[in-house]
PDB file of all heavy atoms in Angstrom:
ATOM      1  N   THR A 991     105.398  92.840 109.130  1.00 86.00           N
ATOM      2  CA  THR A 991     104.388  92.959 108.068  1.00 86.00           C
ATOM      3  C   THR A 991     102.998  92.566 108.571  1.00 86.00           C
ATOM      4  O   THR A 991     102.003  93.249 108.280  1.00 86.00           O
ATOM      5  CB  THR A 991     104.776  92.071 106.873  1.00 86.00           C
ATOM      6  OG1 THR A 991     106.067  92.461 106.400  1.00 86.00           O
ATOM      7  CG2 THR A 991     103.762  92.210 105.747  1.00 86.00           C
ATOM      8  N   GLU A 992     102.911  91.479 109.320  1.00 89.00           N
ATOM      9  CA  GLU A 992     101.614  91.006 109.806  1.00 89.00           C
ATOM     10  C   GLU A 992     100.922  92.062 110.674  1.00 89.00           C
ATOM     11  O   GLU A 992      99.722  92.320 110.526  1.00 89.00           O
ATOM     12  CB  GLU A 992     101.816  89.718 110.611  1.00 89.00           C
ATOM     13  CG  GLU A 992     100.525  89.073 111.095  1.00 89.00           C
ATOM     14  CD  GLU A 992     100.765  87.810 111.900  1.00 89.00           C
ATOM     15  OE1 GLU A 992     101.908  87.306 111.893  1.00 89.00           O
ATOM     16  OE2 GLU A 992      99.810  87.346 112.534  1.00 89.00           O
ATOM     17  N   LYS A 993     101.673  92.701 111.559  1.00 89.00           N
ATOM     18  CA  LYS A 993     101.104  93.730 112.432  1.00 89.00           C
ATOM     19  C   LYS A 993     100.731  94.974 111.631  1.00 89.00           C
ATOM     20  O   LYS A 993      99.696  95.612 111.889  1.00 89.00           O
ATOM     21  CB  LYS A 993     102.103  94.101 113.535  1.00 89.00           C
ATOM     22  CG  LYS A 993     102.353  92.979 114.526  1.00 89.00           C
ATOM     23  CD  LYS A 993     103.372  93.383 115.579  1.00 89.00           C
ATOM     24  CE  LYS A 993     103.631  92.251 116.570  1.00 89.00           C
ATOM     25  NZ  LYS A 993     104.650  92.635 117.579  1.00 89.00           N
ATOM     26  N   ALA A 994     101.579  95.331 110.659  1.00 87.00           N
ATOM     27  CA  ALA A 994     101.293  96.510 109.831  1.00 87.00           C
ATOM     28  C   ALA A 994     100.012  96.317 109.025  1.00 87.00           C
ATOM     29  O   ALA A 994      99.176  97.235 108.914  1.00 87.00           O
ATOM     30  CB  ALA A 994     102.472  96.788 108.902  1.00 87.00           C
ATOM     31  N   GLU A 995      99.829  95.112 108.478  1.00 88.00           N
ATOM     32  CA  GLU A 995      98.621  94.823 107.696  1.00 88.00           C
ATOM     33  C   GLU A 995      97.376  94.871 108.582  1.00 88.00           C
ATOM     34  O   GLU A 995      96.311  95.362 108.161  1.00 88.00           O
ATOM     35  CB  GLU A 995      98.745  93.445 107.038  1.00 88.00           C
ATOM     36  CG  GLU A 995      99.809  93.344 105.954  1.00 88.00           C
ATOM     37  CD  GLU A 995      99.537  94.272 104.778  1.00 88.00           C
ATOM     38  OE1 GLU A 995      98.348  94.576 104.526  1.00 88.00           O
ATOM     39  OE2 GLU A 995     100.503  94.698 104.125  1.00 88.00           O
ATOM     40  N   LYS A 996      97.499  94.390 109.795  1.00 90.00           N
ATOM     41  CA  LYS A 996      96.367  94.404 110.725  1.00 90.00           C
ATOM     42  C   LYS A 996      95.997  95.846 111.088  1.00 90.00           C
ATOM     43  O   LYS A 996      94.799  96.178 111.200  1.00 90.00           O
ATOM     44  CB  LYS A 996      96.733  93.620 111.984  1.00 90.00           C
ATOM     45  CG  LYS A 996      95.545  93.350 112.901  1.00 90.00           C
ATOM     46  CD  LYS A 996      95.932  92.413 114.036  1.00 90.00           C
ATOM     47  CE  LYS A 996      94.735  92.143 114.941  1.00 90.00           C
ATOM     48  NZ  LYS A 996      95.086  91.235 116.074  1.00 90.00           N
ATOM     49  N   LEU A 997      97.017  96.696 111.246  1.00 88.00           N
ATOM     50  CA  LEU A 997      96.752  98.106 111.567  1.00 88.00           C
ATOM     51  C   LEU A 997      96.106  98.812 110.378  1.00 88.00           C
ATOM     52  O   LEU A 997      95.225  99.666 110.549  1.00 88.00           O
ATOM     53  CB  LEU A 997      98.057  98.797 111.969  1.00 88.00           C
ATOM     54  CG  LEU A 997      97.937 100.225 112.498  1.00 88.00           C
ATOM     55  CD1 LEU A 997      97.072 100.278 113.756  1.00 88.00           C
ATOM     56  CD2 LEU A 997      99.320 100.814 112.782  1.00 88.00           C
ATOM     57  N   LYS A 998      96.517  98.456 109.175  1.00 86.00           N
ATOM     58  CA  LYS A 998      95.919  99.047 107.971  1.00 86.00           C
ATOM     59  C   LYS A 998      94.425  98.743 107.900  1.00 86.00           C
ATOM     60  O   LYS A 998      93.627  99.579 107.454  1.00 86.00           O
ATOM     61  CB  LYS A 998      96.616  98.517 106.708  1.00 86.00           C
ATOM     62  CG  LYS A 998      97.989  99.101 106.445  1.00 86.00           C
ATOM     63  CD  LYS A 998      98.592  98.502 105.181  1.00 86.00           C
ATOM     64  CE  LYS A 998      99.989  99.025 104.921  1.00 86.00           C
ATOM     65  NZ  LYS A 998     100.606  98.416 103.710  1.00 86.00           N
ATOM     66  N   GLU A 999      94.052  97.545 108.327  1.00 86.00           N
ATOM     67  CA  GLU A 999      92.643  97.138 108.277  1.00 86.00           C
ATOM     68  C   GLU A 999      91.766  98.021 109.164  1.00 86.00           C
ATOM     69  O   GLU A 999      90.555  98.131 108.925  1.00 86.00           O
ATOM     70  CB  GLU A 999      92.515  95.671 108.721  1.00 86.00           C
ATOM     71  CG  GLU A 999      93.118  94.678 107.735  1.00 86.00           C
ATOM     72  CD  GLU A 999      93.124  93.262 108.275  1.00 86.00           C
ATOM     73  OE1 GLU A 999      92.572  93.057 109.385  1.00 86.00           O
ATOM     74  OE2 GLU A 999      93.668  92.361 107.604  1.00 86.00           O
ATOM     75  N   GLU A1000      92.334  98.642 110.183  1.00 83.00           N
ATOM     76  CA  GLU A1000      91.572  99.528 111.067  1.00 83.00           C
ATOM     77  C   GLU A1000      91.209 100.843 110.380  1.00 83.00           C
ATOM     78  O   GLU A1000      90.316 101.568 110.814  1.00 83.00           O
ATOM     79  CB  GLU A1000      92.376  99.810 112.339  1.00 83.00           C
ATOM     80  CG  GLU A1000      92.619  98.598 113.212  1.00 83.00           C
ATOM     81  CD  GLU A1000      91.338  98.062 113.810  1.00 83.00           C
ATOM     82  OE1 GLU A1000      90.397  98.860 114.041  1.00 83.00           O
ATOM     83  OE2 GLU A1000      91.263  96.835 114.065  1.00 83.00           O
ATOM     84  N   ASN A1001      91.944 101.174 109.290  1.00 85.00           N
ATOM     85  CA  ASN A1001      91.655 102.378 108.490  1.00 85.00           C
ATOM     86  C   ASN A1001      91.582 103.631 109.385  1.00 85.00           C
ATOM     87  O   ASN A1001      90.616 104.395 109.341  1.00 85.00           O
ATOM     88  CB  ASN A1001      90.353 102.190 107.708  1.00 85.00           C
ATOM     89  CG  ASN A1001      90.227 103.204 106.575  1.00 85.00           C
ATOM     90  OD1 ASN A1001      91.229 103.712 106.069  1.00 85.00           O
ATOM     91  ND2 ASN A1001      88.995 103.520 106.203  1.00 85.00           N
ATOM     92  N   LEU A1002      92.603 103.843 110.175  1.00 86.00           N
ATOM     93  CA  LEU A1002      92.650 104.974 111.102  1.00 86.00           C
ATOM     94  C   LEU A1002      93.160 106.225 110.390  1.00 86.00           C
ATOM     95  O   LEU A1002      94.304 106.260 109.921  1.00 86.00           O
ATOM     96  CB  LEU A1002      93.562 104.646 112.297  1.00 86.00           C
ATOM     97  CG  LEU A1002      93.164 103.415 113.130  1.00 86.00           C
ATOM     98  CD1 LEU A1002      94.207 103.138 114.194  1.00 86.00           C
ATOM     99  CD2 LEU A1002      91.796 103.612 113.763  1.00 86.00           C
ATOM    100  N   ILE A1003      92.281 107.242 110.279  1.00 86.00           N
ATOM    101  CA  ILE A1003      92.655 108.502 109.634  1.00 86.00           C
ATOM    102  C   ILE A1003      93.771 109.169 110.442  1.00 86.00           C
ATOM    103  O   ILE A1003      93.715 109.253 111.667  1.00 86.00           O
ATOM    104  CB  ILE A1003      91.443 109.465 109.541  1.00 86.00           C
ATOM    105  CG1 ILE A1003      90.299 108.793 108.780  1.00 86.00           C
ATOM    106  CG2 ILE A1003      91.849 110.766 108.872  1.00 86.00           C
ATOM    107  CD1 ILE A1003      90.634 108.436 107.365  1.00 86.00           C
ATOM    108  N   GLY A1004      94.811 109.626 109.729  1.00 84.00           N
ATOM    109  CA  GLY A1004      95.916 110.307 110.404  1.00 84.00           C
ATOM    110  C   GLY A1004      97.031 109.376 110.840  1.00 84.00           C
ATOM    111  O   GLY A1004      98.003 109.817 111.448  1.00 84.00           O
ATOM    112  N   VAL A1005      96.891 108.092 110.551  1.00 87.00           N
ATOM    113  CA  VAL A1005      97.959 107.126 110.861  1.00 87.00           C
ATOM    114  C   VAL A1005      98.596 106.689 109.544  1.00 87.00           C
ATOM    115  O   VAL A1005      97.916 106.207 108.644  1.00 87.00           O
ATOM    116  CB  VAL A1005      97.405 105.900 111.619  1.00 87.00           C
ATOM    117  CG1 VAL A1005      98.506 104.860 111.819  1.00 87.00           C
ATOM    118  CG2 VAL A1005      96.820 106.317 112.954  1.00 87.00           C
ATOM    119  N   SER A1006      99.905 106.908 109.454  1.00 85.00           N
ATOM    120  CA  SER A1006     100.640 106.560 108.232  1.00 85.00           C
ATOM    121  C   SER A1006     101.448 105.294 108.455  1.00 85.00           C
ATOM    122  O   SER A1006     102.149 105.163 109.468  1.00 85.00           O
ATOM    123  CB  SER A1006     101.574 107.716 107.842  1.00 85.00           C
ATOM    124  OG  SER A1006     102.340 107.373 106.705  1.00 85.00           O
ATOM    125  N   ILE A1007     101.352 104.368 107.518  1.00 85.00           N
ATOM    126  CA  ILE A1007     102.078 103.095 107.608  1.00 85.00           C
ATOM    127  C   ILE A1007     102.917 102.975 106.341  1.00 85.00           C
ATOM    128  O   ILE A1007     102.396 102.694 105.258  1.00 85.00           O
ATOM    129  CB  ILE A1007     101.111 101.909 107.733  1.00 85.00           C
ATOM    130  CG1 ILE A1007     100.178 102.115 108.936  1.00 85.00           C
ATOM    131  CG2 ILE A1007     101.881 100.603 107.879  1.00 85.00           C
ATOM    132  CD1 ILE A1007      99.003 101.168 108.969  1.00 85.00           C
ATOM    133  N   ASP A1008     104.210 103.228 106.463  1.00 83.00           N
ATOM    134  CA  ASP A1008     105.105 103.276 105.299  1.00 83.00           C
ATOM    135  C   ASP A1008     106.101 102.133 105.328  1.00 83.00           C
ATOM    136  O   ASP A1008     106.663 101.790 106.382  1.00 83.00           O
ATOM    137  CB  ASP A1008     105.864 104.605 105.274  1.00 83.00           C
ATOM    138  CG  ASP A1008     104.927 105.798 105.167  1.00 83.00           C
ATOM    139  OD1 ASP A1008     104.121 105.815 104.222  1.00 83.00           O
ATOM    140  OD2 ASP A1008     105.001 106.694 106.035  1.00 83.00           O
ATOM    141  N   GLU A1009     106.330 101.560 104.156  1.00 82.00           N
ATOM    142  CA  GLU A1009     107.290 100.461 104.048  1.00 82.00           C
ATOM    143  C   GLU A1009     108.711 100.973 104.245  1.00 82.00           C
ATOM    144  O   GLU A1009     109.081 102.039 103.756  1.00 82.00           O
ATOM    145  CB  GLU A1009     107.163  99.767 102.686  1.00 82.00           C
ATOM    146  CG  GLU A1009     107.972  98.486 102.594  1.00 82.00           C
ATOM    147  CD  GLU A1009     107.709  97.710 101.314  1.00 82.00           C
ATOM    148  OE1 GLU A1009     106.839  98.125 100.529  1.00 82.00           O
ATOM    149  OE2 GLU A1009     108.384  96.687 101.109  1.00 82.00           O
ATOM    150  N   THR A1010     109.505 100.235 104.962  1.00 83.00           N
ATOM    151  CA  THR A1010     110.913 100.559 105.174  1.00 83.00           C
ATOM    152  C   THR A1010     111.697  99.253 105.147  1.00 83.00           C
ATOM    153  O   THR A1010     111.139  98.192 104.888  1.00 83.00           O
ATOM    154  CB  THR A1010     111.124 101.315 106.510  1.00 83.00           C
ATOM    155  OG1 THR A1010     112.487 101.744 106.590  1.00 83.00           O
ATOM    156  CG2 THR A1010     110.807 100.421 107.705  1.00 83.00           C
ATOM    157  N   SER A1011     112.986  99.319 105.387  1.00 83.00           N
ATOM    158  CA  SER A1011     113.788  98.092 105.414  1.00 83.00           C
ATOM    159  C   SER A1011     114.769  98.131 106.576  1.00 83.00           C
ATOM    160  O   SER A1011     115.147  99.205 107.046  1.00 83.00           O
ATOM    161  CB  SER A1011     114.547  97.911 104.093  1.00 83.00           C
ATOM    162  OG  SER A1011     115.500  98.943 103.925  1.00 83.00           O
ATOM    163  N   LYS A1012     115.161  96.967 107.006  1.00 87.00           N
ATOM    164  CA  LYS A1012     116.119  96.845 108.095  1.00 87.00           C
ATOM    165  C   LYS A1012     117.215  95.881 107.664  1.00 87.00           C
ATOM    166  O   LYS A1012     116.951  94.859 107.038  1.00 87.00           O
ATOM    167  CB  LYS A1012     115.435  96.320 109.364  1.00 87.00           C
ATOM    168  CG  LYS A1012     116.363  96.200 110.567  1.00 87.00           C
ATOM    169  CD  LYS A1012     115.634  95.627 111.775  1.00 87.00           C
ATOM    170  CE  LYS A1012     116.554  95.524 112.983  1.00 87.00           C
ATOM    171  NZ  LYS A1012     115.894  94.943 114.162  1.00 87.00           N
ATOM    172  N   ARG A1013     118.450  96.234 108.008  1.00 91.00           N
ATOM    173  CA  ARG A1013     119.565  95.355 107.670  1.00 91.00           C
ATOM    174  C   ARG A1013     119.526  94.127 108.562  1.00 91.00           C
ATOM    175  O   ARG A1013     119.319  94.221 109.774  1.00 91.00           O
ATOM    176  CB  ARG A1013     120.878  96.112 107.868  1.00 91.00           C
ATOM    177  CG  ARG A1013     122.027  95.578 107.029  1.00 91.00           C
ATOM    178  CD  ARG A1013     121.749  95.655 105.560  1.00 91.00           C
ATOM    179  NE  ARG A1013     122.941  95.364 104.744  1.00 91.00           N
ATOM    180  CZ  ARG A1013     122.894  95.109 103.478  1.00 91.00           C
ATOM    181  NH1 ARG A1013     121.717  95.071 102.859  1.00 91.00           N
ATOM    182  NH2 ARG A1013     123.993  94.875 102.787  1.00 91.00           N
ATOM    183  N   TYR A1014     119.746  92.967 107.929  1.00 92.00           N
ATOM    184  CA  TYR A1014     119.656  91.709 108.656  1.00 92.00           C
ATOM    185  C   TYR A1014     120.875  90.849 108.337  1.00 92.00           C
ATOM    186  O   TYR A1014     121.298  90.738 107.171  1.00 92.00           O
ATOM    187  CB  TYR A1014     118.373  90.961 108.267  1.00 92.00           C
ATOM    188  CG  TYR A1014     118.259  89.588 108.874  1.00 92.00           C
ATOM    189  CD1 TYR A1014     118.141  89.417 110.253  1.00 92.00           C
ATOM    190  CD2 TYR A1014     118.279  88.452 108.068  1.00 92.00           C
ATOM    191  CE1 TYR A1014     118.056  88.150 110.816  1.00 92.00           C
ATOM    192  CE2 TYR A1014     118.175  87.179 108.617  1.00 92.00           C
ATOM    193  CZ  TYR A1014     118.075  87.043 109.991  1.00 92.00           C
ATOM    194  OH  TYR A1014     117.979  85.789 110.542  1.00 92.00           O
ATOM    195  N   TYR A1015     121.435  90.254 109.383  1.00 93.00           N
ATOM    196  CA  TYR A1015     122.633  89.426 109.252  1.00 93.00           C
ATOM    197  C   TYR A1015     122.272  87.988 109.645  1.00 93.00           C
ATOM    198  O   TYR A1015     122.099  87.692 110.836  1.00 93.00           O
ATOM    199  CB  TYR A1015     123.756  89.992 110.129  1.00 93.00           C
ATOM    200  CG  TYR A1015     124.049  91.438 109.787  1.00 93.00           C
ATOM    201  CD1 TYR A1015     123.365  92.478 110.425  1.00 93.00           C
ATOM    202  CD2 TYR A1015     124.958  91.760 108.786  1.00 93.00           C
ATOM    203  CE1 TYR A1015     123.600  93.801 110.085  1.00 93.00           C
ATOM    204  CE2 TYR A1015     125.198  93.088 108.441  1.00 93.00           C
ATOM    205  CZ  TYR A1015     124.513  94.096 109.094  1.00 93.00           C
ATOM    206  OH  TYR A1015     124.734  95.407 108.747  1.00 93.00           O
ATOM    207  N   PRO A1016     122.124  87.096 108.658  1.00 93.00           N
ATOM    208  CA  PRO A1016     121.601  85.742 108.905  1.00 93.00           C
ATOM    209  C   PRO A1016     122.394  84.928 109.922  1.00 93.00           C
ATOM    210  O   PRO A1016     121.840  84.067 110.591  1.00 93.00           O
ATOM    211  CB  PRO A1016     121.662  85.083 107.515  1.00 93.00           C
ATOM    212  CG  PRO A1016     121.668  86.215 106.546  1.00 93.00           C
ATOM    213  CD  PRO A1016     122.380  87.322 107.234  1.00 93.00           C
ATOM    214  N   PHE A1017     123.712  85.201 110.050  1.00 92.00           N
ATOM    215  CA  PHE A1017     124.541  84.392 110.945  1.00 92.00           C
ATOM    216  C   PHE A1017     124.901  85.137 112.234  1.00 92.00           C
ATOM    217  O   PHE A1017     125.865  84.785 112.913  1.00 92.00           O
ATOM    218  CB  PHE A1017     125.818  83.946 110.221  1.00 92.00           C
ATOM    219  CG  PHE A1017     125.567  83.038 109.052  1.00 92.00           C
ATOM    220  CD1 PHE A1017     125.553  83.535 107.760  1.00 92.00           C
ATOM    221  CD2 PHE A1017     125.318  81.691 109.246  1.00 92.00           C
ATOM    222  CE1 PHE A1017     125.317  82.703 106.678  1.00 92.00           C
ATOM    223  CE2 PHE A1017     125.082  80.843 108.172  1.00 92.00           C
ATOM    224  CZ  PHE A1017     125.079  81.354 106.888  1.00 92.00           C
ATOM    225  N   ASP A1018     124.147  86.181 112.548  1.00 89.00           N
ATOM    226  CA  ASP A1018     124.348  86.950 113.789  1.00 89.00           C
ATOM    227  C   ASP A1018     125.784  87.461 113.918  1.00 89.00           C
ATOM    228  O   ASP A1018     126.187  88.287 113.132  1.00 89.00           O
ATOM    229  CB  ASP A1018     123.933  86.117 115.007  1.00 89.00           C
ATOM    230  CG  ASP A1018     122.427  85.870 115.035  1.00 89.00           C
ATOM    231  OD1 ASP A1018     121.687  86.752 114.586  1.00 89.00           O
ATOM    232  OD2 ASP A1018     121.996  84.796 115.490  1.00 89.00           O
ATOM    233  N   ASP A1019     126.560  86.954 114.906  1.00 89.00           N
ATOM    234  CA  ASP A1019     127.885  87.529 115.152  1.00 89.00           C
ATOM    235  C   ASP A1019     128.972  86.974 114.238  1.00 89.00           C
ATOM    236  O   ASP A1019     130.149  87.284 114.394  1.00 89.00           O
ATOM    237  CB  ASP A1019     128.292  87.322 116.623  1.00 89.00           C
ATOM    238  CG  ASP A1019     128.411  85.857 116.995  1.00 89.00           C
ATOM    239  OD1 ASP A1019     127.964  84.998 116.216  1.00 89.00           O
ATOM    240  OD2 ASP A1019     128.945  85.571 118.082  1.00 89.00           O
ATOM    241  N   PHE A1020     128.619  86.179 113.260  1.00 93.00           N
ATOM    242  CA  PHE A1020     129.558  85.594 112.304  1.00 93.00           C
ATOM    243  C   PHE A1020     130.168  86.689 111.424  1.00 93.00           C
ATOM    244  O   PHE A1020     129.451  87.456 110.783  1.00 93.00           O
ATOM    245  CB  PHE A1020     128.796  84.582 111.445  1.00 93.00           C
ATOM    246  CG  PHE A1020     129.623  83.867 110.418  1.00 93.00           C
ATOM    247  CD1 PHE A1020     130.375  82.763 110.767  1.00 93.00           C
ATOM    248  CD2 PHE A1020     129.623  84.281 109.099  1.00 93.00           C
ATOM    249  CE1 PHE A1020     131.118  82.079 109.821  1.00 93.00           C
ATOM    250  CE2 PHE A1020     130.348  83.617 108.147  1.00 93.00           C
ATOM    251  CZ  PHE A1020     131.111  82.518 108.506  1.00 93.00           C
ATOM    252  N   LEU A1021     131.507  86.808 111.420  1.00 95.00           N
ATOM    253  CA  LEU A1021     132.225  87.769 110.574  1.00 95.00           C
ATOM    254  C   LEU A1021     131.809  89.213 110.865  1.00 95.00           C
ATOM    255  O   LEU A1021     131.893  90.083 110.014  1.00 95.00           O
ATOM    256  CB  LEU A1021     131.996  87.432 109.088  1.00 95.00           C
ATOM    257  CG  LEU A1021     132.950  88.023 108.057  1.00 95.00           C
ATOM    258  CD1 LEU A1021     134.356  87.474 108.197  1.00 95.00           C
ATOM    259  CD2 LEU A1021     132.436  87.770 106.641  1.00 95.00           C
ATOM    260  N   SER A1022     131.328  89.465 112.071  1.00 93.00           N
ATOM    261  CA  SER A1022     130.679  90.744 112.360  1.00 93.00           C
ATOM    262  C   SER A1022     131.589  91.956 112.207  1.00 93.00           C
ATOM    263  O   SER A1022     131.178  92.981 111.655  1.00 93.00           O
ATOM    264  CB  SER A1022     130.066  90.723 113.773  1.00 93.00           C
ATOM    265  OG  SER A1022     131.046  90.403 114.744  1.00 93.00           O
ATOM    266  N   GLN A1023     132.851  91.874 112.693  1.00 93.00           N
ATOM    267  CA  GLN A1023     133.721  93.051 112.578  1.00 93.00           C
ATOM    268  C   GLN A1023     134.122  93.331 111.139  1.00 93.00           C
ATOM    269  O   GLN A1023     134.454  94.460 110.799  1.00 93.00           O
ATOM    270  CB  GLN A1023     134.986  92.881 113.434  1.00 93.00           C
ATOM    271  CG  GLN A1023     134.719  92.923 114.923  1.00 93.00           C
ATOM    272  CD  GLN A1023     134.777  91.546 115.542  1.00 93.00           C
ATOM    273  OE1 GLN A1023     134.558  90.542 114.854  1.00 93.00           O
ATOM    274  NE2 GLN A1023     135.065  91.479 116.832  1.00 93.00           N
ATOM    275  N   VAL A1024     134.092  92.324 110.287  1.00 96.00           N
ATOM    276  CA  VAL A1024     134.437  92.510 108.873  1.00 96.00           C
ATOM    277  C   VAL A1024     133.257  93.102 108.108  1.00 96.00           C
ATOM    278  O   VAL A1024     133.395  94.099 107.391  1.00 96.00           O
ATOM    279  CB  VAL A1024     134.875  91.182 108.228  1.00 96.00           C
ATOM    280  CG1 VAL A1024     135.114  91.368 106.729  1.00 96.00           C
ATOM    281  CG2 VAL A1024     136.133  90.669 108.904  1.00 96.00           C
ATOM    282  N   ILE A1025     132.093  92.497 108.258  1.00 95.00           N
ATOM    283  CA  ILE A1025     130.911  92.999 107.548  1.00 95.00           C
ATOM    284  C   ILE A1025     130.519  94.369 108.070  1.00 95.00           C
ATOM    285  O   ILE A1025     130.146  95.259 107.305  1.00 95.00           O
ATOM    286  CB  ILE A1025     129.730  92.021 107.692  1.00 95.00           C
ATOM    287  CG1 ILE A1025     130.071  90.674 107.063  1.00 95.00           C
ATOM    288  CG2 ILE A1025     128.462  92.598 107.041  1.00 95.00           C
ATOM    289  CD1 ILE A1025     129.013  89.613 107.270  1.00 95.00           C
ATOM    290  N   GLY A1026     130.608  94.572 109.397  1.00 93.00           N
ATOM    291  CA  GLY A1026     130.222  95.858 109.975  1.00 93.00           C
ATOM    292  C   GLY A1026     128.736  95.942 110.227  1.00 93.00           C
ATOM    293  O   GLY A1026     128.054  94.930 110.374  1.00 93.00           O
ATOM    294  N   ASN A1027     128.190  97.158 110.212  1.00 91.00           N
ATOM    295  CA  ASN A1027     126.759  97.349 110.446  1.00 91.00           C
ATOM    296  C   ASN A1027     126.307  98.671 109.863  1.00 91.00           C
ATOM    297  O   ASN A1027     127.125  99.473 109.383  1.00 91.00           O
ATOM    298  CB  ASN A1027     126.446  97.276 111.948  1.00 91.00           C
ATOM    299  CG  ASN A1027     127.270  98.259 112.765  1.00 91.00           C
ATOM    300  OD1 ASN A1027     127.200  99.468 112.568  1.00 91.00           O
ATOM    301  ND2 ASN A1027     128.063  97.743 113.689  1.00 91.00           N
ATOM    302  N   THR A1028     125.013  98.900 109.887  1.00 90.00           N
ATOM    303  CA  THR A1028     124.435 100.160 109.399  1.00 90.00           C
ATOM    304  C   THR A1028     123.673 100.828 110.534  1.00 90.00           C
ATOM    305  O   THR A1028     123.311 100.183 111.524  1.00 90.00           O
ATOM    306  CB  THR A1028     123.467  99.918 108.225  1.00 90.00           C
ATOM    307  OG1 THR A1028     122.359  99.138 108.695  1.00 90.00           O
ATOM    308  CG2 THR A1028     124.149  99.178 107.092  1.00 90.00           C
ATOM    309  N   ASN A1029     123.401 102.124 110.372  1.00 86.00           N
ATOM    310  CA  ASN A1029     122.563 102.792 111.360  1.00 86.00           C
ATOM    311  C   ASN A1029     121.091 102.603 111.003  1.00 86.00           C
ATOM    312  O   ASN A1029     120.758 101.899 110.044  1.00 86.00           O
ATOM    313  CB  ASN A1029     122.929 104.278 111.478  1.00 86.00           C
ATOM    314  CG  ASN A1029     122.699 105.050 110.177  1.00 86.00           C
ATOM    315  OD1 ASN A1029     122.002 104.583 109.266  1.00 86.00           O
ATOM    316  ND2 ASN A1029     123.280 106.225 110.075  1.00 86.00           N
ATOM    317  N   ARG A1030     120.211 103.228 111.738  1.00 81.00           N
ATOM    318  CA  ARG A1030     118.767 103.020 111.534  1.00 81.00           C
ATOM    319  C   ARG A1030     118.276 103.551 110.189  1.00 81.00           C
ATOM    320  O   ARG A1030     117.207 103.173 109.714  1.00 81.00           O
ATOM    321  CB  ARG A1030     117.967 103.657 112.684  1.00 81.00           C
ATOM    322  CG  ARG A1030     117.957 105.161 112.686  1.00 81.00           C
ATOM    323  CD  ARG A1030     117.497 105.709 114.029  1.00 81.00           C
ATOM    324  NE  ARG A1030     116.197 105.232 114.406  1.00 81.00           N
ATOM    325  CZ  ARG A1030     115.065 105.887 114.153  1.00 81.00           C
ATOM    326  NH1 ARG A1030     115.099 107.047 113.507  1.00 81.00           N
ATOM    327  NH2 ARG A1030     113.906 105.407 114.548  1.00 81.00           N
ATOM    328  N   ASP A1031     119.084 104.402 109.550  1.00 83.00           N
ATOM    329  CA  ASP A1031     118.725 104.921 108.232  1.00 83.00           C
ATOM    330  C   ASP A1031     119.346 104.110 107.103  1.00 83.00           C
ATOM    331  O   ASP A1031     119.262 104.495 105.941  1.00 83.00           O
ATOM    332  CB  ASP A1031     119.149 106.383 108.107  1.00 83.00           C
ATOM    333  CG  ASP A1031     118.395 107.285 109.074  1.00 83.00           C
ATOM    334  OD1 ASP A1031     117.169 107.099 109.199  1.00 83.00           O
ATOM    335  OD2 ASP A1031     119.017 108.149 109.709  1.00 83.00           O
ATOM    336  N   GLY A1032     119.995 103.000 107.464  1.00 86.00           N
ATOM    337  CA  GLY A1032     120.569 102.130 106.440  1.00 86.00           C
ATOM    338  C   GLY A1032     121.891 102.602 105.880  1.00 86.00           C
ATOM    339  O   GLY A1032     122.287 102.194 104.789  1.00 86.00           O
TER     340      GLY A1032
END
């Protein structure tokens, strides 16, 4: 977010900055095979 906001301040025409989300697992490899994972599209 911090980097995206800084890039927005430059107001560069033709540069699109869109909000997205990423899956996050707070305990890293904890219960990993059970919880599984998602691809880059969620």
